[in-house]
C-alpha cells in the first residue's frame, strides 16, 4: 500500500478519468466491426506470434473485442450494467487506483497469452504457432468479470434486480460466478486456465494487498461478536449519560439539550446549557 500511495502521489495526474466509458466505447467499435466487417477482428486479436513479427498493435486492439453477447439488447444491458459498476468503483477507490486495477488486468492478460504461447511452442517445438493453433481465444470477458467481483467485494449486500424481476444481493451473484469460473478451470484446457488465471490476477493481488487480513483472526472475530452483543443488549430505562446538577434534567427529558462540565466547580458537576453560566460554583 505504501508503494501504491507513492505511485499515486507521483503519477495521479496521468490517470484517465471515467475509464469505464472509454472501455465501453471501445466495445461499441468492436461490436460494430463484428457485424459490418467480421474479418477485421482477425487483425485485432491478441496473437503473440504475430506481435513478435511486427503487428504490435495487437497488444492494444484486442481490448476492442467485446465479450460475446446473444443479442444487441442483451449487449446493451450488459454494457450499462458494467458502466454502473465501473463508475462506482472509480468513485470508491479514486481515479488512479481504478486505473491501476483495469490496466493491471489488461497487462496480466497479455503476459498470460505470451506465457501460454511460449509453453506451447516449447512443448511442440514449433515457434510458428499462432493464436488460433494454440487454441486460446483471449478476450475481455474476464476483465469485465474482475470489475464485477471487485464491486461485489466492496458492496456485498447491495441488492439488484436480476432480469429486472428477481431481487438478489451482489455477494450471492459473486458466489455463483465463482462456481462457474471454477468449473471453467476444471473443464478447460491448461492454456485456457493460464489465460483465465492471469486475467483475474489483478483481482487477487489488489484485494489481498489492500485488505486488512488481521480482521479474519480469531481474536478479532471474537472482539467484533462481543461488540455486536453489547450494542444489541437492551439497556435499563432509568440509566442516563447526562444530568444537570441544578435542574436535574437529562438527555431523555429533552434530546436537544447540551451538557457541559464546569471547570471552576470542585468535583465532577455537569450542567445543562441553561445553567452552565448561571449556577453557583461548588467550592
Amino acid at each position: 500500500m505504501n508503494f501504491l500511495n507513492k505511485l499515486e502521489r507521483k503519477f495521479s495526474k496521468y490517470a484517465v478519468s471515467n475509464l469505464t466509458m472509454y472501455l465501453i466505447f471501445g466495445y461499441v467499435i468492436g461490436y460494430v466491426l463484428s457485424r459490418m466487417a467480421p474479418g477485421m477482428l482477425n487483425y485485432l486479436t491478441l496473437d503473440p506470434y504475430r506481435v513478435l513479427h511486427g503487428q504490435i498493435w495487437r497488444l492494444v486492439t484486442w481490448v476492442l473485442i467485446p465479450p460475446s453477447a446473444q443479442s444487441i439488447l442483451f449487449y446493451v444491458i450488459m454494457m450499462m450494467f458494467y458502466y454502473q459498476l465501473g463508475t462506482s468503483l472509480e468513485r470508491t477507490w479514486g481515479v488512479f487506483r481504478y486505473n491501476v486495477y483495469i490496466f493491471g488486468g489488461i497487462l496480466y492478460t497479455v503476459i498470460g497469452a505470451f506465457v501460454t504461447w511460449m509453453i506451447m511452442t516449447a512443448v511442440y517445438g514449433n515457434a510458428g504457432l499462432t493464436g488460433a493453433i494454440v487454441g486460446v481465444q483471449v478476450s475481455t470477458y474476464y476483465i469485465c468479470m474482475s470489475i464485477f467481483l471487485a464491486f461485489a467485494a466492496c458492496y456485498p449486500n447491495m441488492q439488484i434486480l436480476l432480469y429486472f424481476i428477481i431481487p438478489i444481493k451482489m455477494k450471492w451473484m459473486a458466489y455463483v460466478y465463482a462456481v462457474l469460473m471454477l468449473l471453467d478451470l476444471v473443464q478447460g484446457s491448461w492454456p485456457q486456465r493460464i489465460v483465465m488465471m492471469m486475467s483475474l490476477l489483478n483481482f487477487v493481488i489488489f484485494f489481498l494487498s489492500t485488505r486488512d487480513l488481521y480482521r479474519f483472526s480469531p481474536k478479532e472475530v471474537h472482539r467484533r461478536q462481543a461488540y455486536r452483543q453489547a450494542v444489541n443488549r437492551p439497556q435499563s430505562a432509568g440509566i442516563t449519560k447526562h444530568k444537570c446538577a441544578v435542574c436535574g434534567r437529562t438527555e431523555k427529558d429533552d434530546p436537544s439539550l447540551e451538557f457541559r462540565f464546569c471547570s471552576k466547580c470542585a468535583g465532577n458537576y455537569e450542567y445543562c446549557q441553561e445553567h452552565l453560566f448561571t449556577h453557583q460554583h461548588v467550592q
Side-chain angles (χ1 to χ4, degrees), residues 81 158-169 173:
F81 178 65
M158 178 174 287
Q159 184 172 279
I160 64 173
L161 293 178
L162 184 63
Y163 301 115
F164 302 102
I165 300 175
I166 306 172
I168 186 173
K169 291 184 177 181
M173 289 187 63

Side-chain angles (χ1 to χ4, degrees), residues 92-141:
T92 302
W93 295 343
V95 176
F96 178 80
R97 292 170 185 266
Y98 183 68
N99 274 229
V100 171
Y101 186 76
I102 296 300
F103 289 124
I106 294 174
L107 176 62
Y108 297 143
T109 302
V110 173
I111 294 175
F114 273 85
V115 169
T116 303
W117 177 79
M118 288 187 292
I119 293 176
M120 291 292 289
T121 54
V123 171
Y124 293 102
N126 186 355
L129 287 174
T130 63
I133 297 177
V134 171
V136 179
Q137 181 62 44
V138 180
S139 69
T140 55
Y141 171 76

Side-chain angles (χ1 to χ4, degrees), residues 244-249 258 260-265 269-282:
C244 179
V246 176
C247 62
R249 288 188 297 176
E258 295 184 3
R260 298 289 187 273
F261 286 96
C262 180
S263 60
K264 297 182 179 180
C265 290
Y269 290 93
E270 192 175 16
Y271 303 93
C272 67
Q273 58 196 26
E274 297 179 5
H275 297 105
L276 179 61
F277 300 103
T278 60
H279 70 276
Q280 293 183 355
H281 299 298
V282 179

